[in-house]
Amino acid sequence: MTNLTAMMLVVASLCAAPLAWADVALGTVEVEGARPKDEDAPDPDAVPEVTIISARAPSAGVASVADLIADHLGVQLRSRGGLGASTSLSLRGSDGNEVAIFIDGVPLSRAGGIIDLSLLPVDGLDHVEIYRGVPPVELGAQAIGGAVNLVTRKGTRGRELRASAGVGSFGARSLTAGYSESLSGLRVAASAAYHGANGNFSYYDNGGTLLDPSDDHAAIRHNDDFDQLALDASVGAGRSWRWRLGAHGFWKDQGVPGLGSTGAESLKSRLSSSRLLLDGELIHHARRADLRLTADLGFERYGFTNAYGESVGNYGPAVEDSQALSAGLSGRIDVPWTSHQLISVIAELRLERRLSYDILRPTQSGLPSLRGLYALALADELRFFADRLGLIPALRLDGAASSLERGAMSSAASPPASDVFISPRLSARLRATDWLTLHGSAGRFVRFPTLLEQFGDGAFLLGQPALRPESAWGGDLGAAFKLSRRRCALELEATFFGRRTTDLIAYVPAAFAASAVNLEGARILGAEARAAARVGSWLNVSVDYTFLDAVNLSGDPGTDGRQLPGRPRHQLDGRVELHRGPFRIYYALDYVDQIYRDPQNRNPIAGRVLHAMGAAIAHGRFTFRVDVENLADLRVVPLPLGGTLHQGETTPYPLVDFFDYPLPGRAIYATLALRQ
C-alpha cells in the first residue's frame, strides 16, 4: 500500500471516529425490472452501492422522476399538492436543497435553488441512481443529504422506436415519443414528452377552524393546472476515444394554488419555469490510465406572476423574472496502481450567475450575483482477499468564491466572500459469506448557500446575503442478507445512519413567503430495513421501513430538542406484484407517520395510509396499463387536538402533503405504449 493511501486511511478513520453513534445507507443495489445495460451504471460490488431504478416504463401515472422514486426506501417527497405540483426530494430526513441532482453525472445548476423533480420526465431516462448515504467522491461534497443521478438513454445497436399516450383523472394527459439507433458508428437517441392536467379536484375544507365543525365543507382546489414539455437528445461515437454530446430541455407553466393553508387559494397567480442543459464528455481508455473530460452549460429561468396581489409571495402584486447561467468543467484520471488498487484524481470548476428582475418595480430589481465553485478530489479504491474486502478512502477540497452585489431585498452591497472546506471520507464493504455482506461509510460534507437563498426571488423567498455554508459529518453501518434457492430468493437488509449538521440552512415563515436562516445545527439518527422475496417469475413482494429521529439543535428555548418540521418518524412502503404470461397486477401501500408543520411542534399534520393498485397487459408491441392511486379515496384524516382540554380528542382534517396542501382523492390513469 502506498504512503499516500495509508495517510488517507488514517485521516479518514480519525475523522470518522466521532461517528460511533452514526450510521448511513445500506448501500445495496435494488433493481426494478431488468438491470439497465448502460455502460456507466454503477458496479453492484463497488463501494458505496446504490439503489438503481429502471425508468424504461413511463406512464400517465408515472410521468416524472418524482412519481418514479416516490415509494422507495429512504425517499420523501414534499410538494404543493395535486398533479404536477412543484416537488422537492428529501433523503433520510435531509432538506431538499441538501440533495444533489445530476443528469449523466453533470450537476443541475444550484443557483436557482431546489430542483423541482416534477419537471424532470421519466421518458428519455434509462435508469435513476439514488445515493441515500455517502455518495461517490465524484458527485461532490455538496451532496450533504445524498445524491440522485439521472442516466439518460443512449443510442442502441439496433433501432428502437417507442411512443405512448395516456389519460387520467382531473384532466391528466400525456404523450411521449422516443428513438434510438446506431448509424454509421454514431449512437443517436432522442425523446420528447408532454404532460399536463387540469387539476381542480375536490377536497375537505375545515374552514381554518379546528374546533368549529359548522364551517366544514367540500371545496374545489383551483389554479393547480399545469402543462410541461421535455426534449432530450444525445449523439456519441468511438471506442478507445469516446465522445458524447447531450442536450436536455424542460419547460413548465403552472398555476400557484396558494401558500400553506388550505384556505389561502389563489385564482390567477402563475409560475413558469424553463431549463436547458448542454453537456459533453470525452473518454480515453489506455493501458495505464483512463481519462475523462466533461463540460456543461446551463440556463434556467423562473417567472412569477401575481398581478392581483393574491396571498402568495411577499410583496402583494408582483411580476418577477429570474434567470441563472452556469458553466462547468471537470476532469478525471483513473490509474490502476496494482492489481487490487485504483487511484482517481478529480478536478472541477463551476461558475454561476443569477439576475432577478422586478417588472412592476424595476428600481427594486437585483444586480447580478456571481459565484465560483472549485474542487480537487483524490480517491483510492482498494480490493483485497479475492475482492471480499473493499475500501475507498477519499479526500475532497471544495471552495466557493462569491461576488454578491446589492439584490432586490438588500439595501447595501455584500462584500466578496470565500470559503474552503476539506472533506475526508471512507467507505468499506466486507463480503463475509456468499450470503452476508457488511457495509459502512463515513464522511464530511458541505453545502454552500445558493444565490437564490442569499438574494431571494422576490416571490417566495426573501434574500439573506450573510448566510454561512452548512457542514455535516455523516455515516452509516449496515448488513445485507441474500439467499437464492432454485426458483426462490430472499433479501433482508438493515442499516443504521446518522448525521450531525452545523450552521444548518433552514427556511422560516416571513409574511406570505419564507427566508433562509442559519440554525446552530441539527442531529439526525435513523434506521432502514428492507425485506424482499421472489417466487419463480410470477410473484415479487417487498417491504421498506424507515425510522427517523431528526432533532433541532438551534439553541432556541422554543425549538431546541424538538423534531425538525416535515420529517415523519415512521414510514413504510409495501408492494406485491403478480406476473403471469402477458398479465401483471400490483398492489402498493404507503404509510407516513404524523409530522409537524412548525419548529415548535405545536401544529401537527396527521399521518396517513394510502393504497394503490394497477394492472398491465402486453400483446406484441403494445402494452396497456391502468393505475389507480389513493384507492380508498381518502380525503379526511383524524387530527389529534392535544392539550389539556382536548386530550385524546381528534378533529377531521383534509388529507394534505408536507406543506399543508390538499391532496386529491382517487385517481385513475390509463396508458397505451408502443415499442418497436
Side-chain angles (χ1 to χ4, degrees), residues 57-62 575 584 586 614-617 623-627 629 669-673:
S59 68
V62 184
R575 188 178 183 92
R584 182 175 72 88
Y586 75 87
I617 180 172
T623 301
F624 180 70
R625 172 172 172 171
V626 176
D627 298 279
E629 303 291 338
Y669 306 99
T671 306
L672 180 64

Side-chain angles (χ1 to χ4, degrees), residues 189-201:
S191 65
Y194 164 79
H195 299 282
N198 299 333
N200 296 349
F201 57 87

Side-chain angles (χ1 to χ4, degrees), residues 101-109 119-126 149-154 189-193 229-235 244-251 273-281 295-301 326:
I101 309 295
F102 299 82
I103 294 182
D104 291 330
V106 175
L108 289 176
S109 171
L119 179 63
L120 308 176
V122 173
D123 194 75
L125 296 181
D126 182 89
N149 187 30
L150 312 177
V151 181
T152 61
R153 301 192 190 206
K154 312 301 190 296
S191 65
L229 179 66
L231 302 172
D232 188 273
S234 71
V235 58
R244 183 188 62 82
L245 299 175
H248 321 277
F250 313 97
W251 169 85
S273 56
S274 55
R275 187 183 295 269
L276 175 64
L277 176 64
L278 306 176
D279 67 291
E281 65 179 358
D296 65 270
L297 180 65
F299 169 79
E300 56 188 280
R301 175 191 172 274
S326 64

Side-chain angles (χ1 to χ4, degrees), residues 50-106:
V50 58
T51 298
I52 302 176
I53 306 170
S54 174
R56 289 184 167 265
S59 68
V62 184
S64 69
V65 171
D67 301 324
L68 181 67
I69 69 176
D71 299 327
H72 285 78
L73 190 63
V75 171
Q76 244 184 58
L77 296 179
R78 302 169 182 170
S79 76
R80 294 194 176 104
L83 282 70
S86 298
T87 304
S88 62
L89 170 64
S90 171
L91 295 176
R92 294 178 168 177
S94 64
D95 189 72
N97 251 330
E98 296 176 331
V99 180
I101 309 295
F102 299 82
I103 294 182
D104 291 330
V106 175

Side-chain angles (χ1 to χ4, degrees), residues 197-281:
N198 299 333
N200 296 349
F201 57 87
S202 62
Y203 69 97
Y204 178 81
D205 188 347
N206 65 0
T209 59
L210 295 179
L211 301 179
D212 182 9
S214 64
D215 58 357
D216 294 2
H217 63 283
I220 301 296
R221 193 64 166 153
H222 296 289
N223 203 36
D224 62 342
D225 62 301
F226 79 98
D227 291 281
Q228 67 181 50
L229 179 66
L231 302 172
D232 188 273
S234 71
V235 58
R239 293 183 179 273
S240 62
W241 285 91
R242 291 195 292 120
W243 61 271
R244 183 188 62 82
L245 299 175
H248 321 277
F250 313 97
W251 169 85
K252 185 177 185 179
D253 179 78
Q254 62 191 125
V256 182
L259 267 180
S261 171
T262 57
E265 292 193 6
S266 66
L267 298 177
K268 297 183 179 180
S269 298
R270 308 294 298 181
L271 179 66
S272 63
S273 56
S274 55
R275 187 183 295 269
L276 175 64
L277 176 64
L278 306 176
D279 67 291
E281 65 179 358

Side-chain angles (χ1 to χ4, degrees), residues 97-174:
N97 251 330
E98 296 176 331
V99 180
I101 309 295
F102 299 82
I103 294 182
D104 291 330
V106 175
L108 289 176
S109 171
R110 303 307 297 246
I114 296 176
I115 303 299
D116 177 12
L117 292 184
S118 70
L119 179 63
L120 308 176
V122 173
D123 194 75
L125 296 181
D126 182 89
H127 63 276
V128 176
E129 304 164 3
I130 302 179
Y131 299 87
R132 302 187 305 276
V134 177
V137 68
E138 61 266 24
L139 293 185
Q142 296 210 69
I144 196 169
V148 174
N149 187 30
L150 312 177
V151 181
T152 61
R153 301 192 190 206
K154 312 301 190 296
T156 57
R157 293 183 179 179
R159 175 181 296 180
E160 180 187 68
L161 297 173
R162 62 186 187 280
S164 71
V167 295
S169 302
F170 317 118
R173 52 201 178 264
S174 67

